């Protein structure tokens, strides 16, 4: 394929364009450089041969950069790339070896905030399209880019954008914004993400903290909250809220086979975190199944009373717990909130106040969808091997793409698993940028030919 040769001989262009992107800070959390970066991305897409435009929802919302190109030989199938041009804040600055937006190259690595997440991933998609155009004067299928600017702050408006531009964004498959590559250089092809429900529970017992001798008379809100939280799950991690798992369906036979095949070294994992055993004393296959498909009820933080040095005999006036629930397919965040509220009421915890921060459903693409094997064959050809992952244990805004656009979504990319994304000294590996760009070329080809 001539496009692959074009990728090989144009890596310097890819690197310098990635450096340009890194050197334009675009920190969504601080609204720093967002507009400027959107314009830069638009210009890059244009110079790579795509028609691009900036889409807006309303004032104060980061724009989406949209681009498309129609295929002359195959105008009936459309592949979409979903990416983001915003980055995490670079703090703490003093832990960076070079300035965080330097884009400096050292050997096989390019350093800087966004070098991998997600500007590195984005450039592989853009350059793959450019390579096809340069080599054949055409693209193997229609291509669309949706590049948002709020991913790192939780993609608050992606759903509204997808609804507003539903027709414009229509497609037959989405390549997700990232994909991990493991320590043995195997790309992980991800078919799903879990959902998330983030809540805060509070109990206020008295109008102020009191001397702890009064604990004989004044109820302690921390005890009260602990009692409430205790009813939510058992020590094996199973959630005890009525009907929590009602709509959930078990793994398909094919999914189970994929999970069995996925490499997982429980001892390496335990060593990494310095832990002796897993929740519920799970082992090997059960641990893998949990990562892929178990819901969680996790205490993310608990605040009450005095937590400073030494002793202070105080009876706190209030207590607060932050809880994140990972949701699995078929769990509707809105329904789960109602179930949680009912549960607390049923157990007599009317005094526990609930605040909902974030609700997002899980998404999963069927492992037997033809798109999966198209991606898998491309990855095996370029990387020599690949791993199919039924679902990532984390959360991303995949559900609206599946729900609103009805698109199968697959994540594949150049994110080396130890590339320090979200941390100081984030870097991208040039060998992986090259391989991923080639892999995207082959994916477009397989997808267009429907093979
Ligand atoms: Zn990120």
């Amino acid at each position: 394929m001539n496009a692959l040769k074009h990728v090989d001989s144009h890596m310097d262009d890819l690197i310098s364009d990635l450096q340009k992107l890194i050197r334009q800070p675009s920190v969504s959390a601080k609204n720093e450089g967002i507009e400027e970066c959107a314009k830069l991305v638009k210009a890059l897409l244009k110079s790579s041969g795509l028609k691009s435009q900036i889409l807006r929802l309303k004032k104060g919302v980061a724009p989406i950069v949209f681009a498309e190109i129609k295929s002359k030989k195959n105008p009936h199938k459309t592949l979409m790339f979903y990416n983001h041009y915003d980055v995490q804040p670079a703090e703490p600055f003093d832990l960076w070896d070079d300035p965080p937006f330097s884009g400096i190259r050292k050997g096989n690595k390019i350093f800087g905030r966004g070098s991998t997440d997600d500007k590195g991933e984005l450039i592989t998609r853009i350059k793959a399209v450019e390579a096809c155009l340069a080599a054949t004067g055409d693209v193997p299928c229609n291509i669309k880019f949706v590049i948002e600017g709020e991913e790192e702050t939780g993609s608050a408006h992606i759903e509204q954008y997808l609804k507003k531009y539903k027709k414009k964004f229509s497609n037959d498959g989405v390549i997700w914004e990232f994909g991990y590559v493991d320590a043995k250089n195997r790309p992980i092809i991800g078919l799903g993400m879990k959902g998330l429900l983030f809540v805060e529970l509070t109990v206020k017992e008295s109008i102020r903290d009191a001397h702890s001798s009064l604990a004989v008379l004044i109820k302690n809100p921390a005890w009260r909250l602990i009692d409430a939280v205790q009813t939510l799950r058992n020590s094996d991690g199973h959630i005890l809220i009525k009907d929590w798992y009602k709509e959930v369906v078990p793994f398909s036979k094919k999914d189970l086979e994929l999970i069995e095949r996925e490499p997982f070294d429980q001892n390496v994992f335990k060593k990494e975190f310095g832990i002796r055993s897993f929740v519920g004393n799970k082992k090997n296959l059960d641990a893998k199944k949990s990562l892929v498909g178990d819901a969680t009820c996790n205490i993310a933080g608990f605040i009450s009373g005095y937590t400073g040095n030494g002793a202070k005999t105080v009876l706190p006036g209030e207590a607060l717990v932050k809880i994140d629930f990972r949701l699995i397919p078929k769990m509707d965040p809105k329904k789960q909130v109602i179930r949680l509220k009912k549960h607390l009421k049923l157990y007599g915890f009317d005094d526990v106040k609930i605040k909902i921060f974030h609700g997002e459903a899980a998404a999963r693409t069927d492992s037997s969808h033809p798109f999966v094997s198209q991606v898998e064959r491309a990855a095996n050809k370029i990387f020599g091997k690949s791993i199919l992952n039924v679902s990532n244990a984390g959360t991303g805004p995949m559900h609206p793409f599946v729900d609103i656009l009805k698109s199968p979504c697959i994540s594949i990319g150049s994110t080396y698993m130890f590339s320090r994304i979200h941390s100081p000294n984030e870097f991208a590996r040039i060998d992986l940028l090259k391989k991923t760009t080639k892999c995207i070329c082959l994916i477009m080809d397989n997808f267009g030919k429907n093979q």
Side-chain angles (χ1 to χ4, degrees), residues 84 88 117-118 151-152 177 421-422:
H84 60 93
Q88 284 277 321
D117 178 13
D118 187 40
E151 198 275 341
E152 298 293 5
E177 48 116 351
I421 58 172
H422 294 208

Side-chain angles (χ1 to χ4, degrees), residues 147-158:
I147 309 161
E148 71 151 313
E150 299 181 330
E151 198 275 341
E152 298 293 5
T153 51
S155 299
H157 299 91
I158 195 73

Side-chain angles (χ1 to χ4, degrees), residues 339-375:
R339 287 166 177 162
L340 170 65
K341 285 180 177 166
K342 262 193 191 159
H343 172 92
L344 290 171
K345 220 172 172 176
L346 185 75
Y347 281 77
F349 292 104
D350 299 87
D351 53 327
V352 175
K353 290 221 164 46
I354 306 178
K355 191 170 162 190
I356 313 295
F357 280 91
H358 184 74
E360 183 166 342
R364 217 183 269 176
T365 291
D366 190 334
S367 52
S368 54
H369 195 290
F371 188 25
V372 177
S373 56
Q374 287 156 8
V375 172

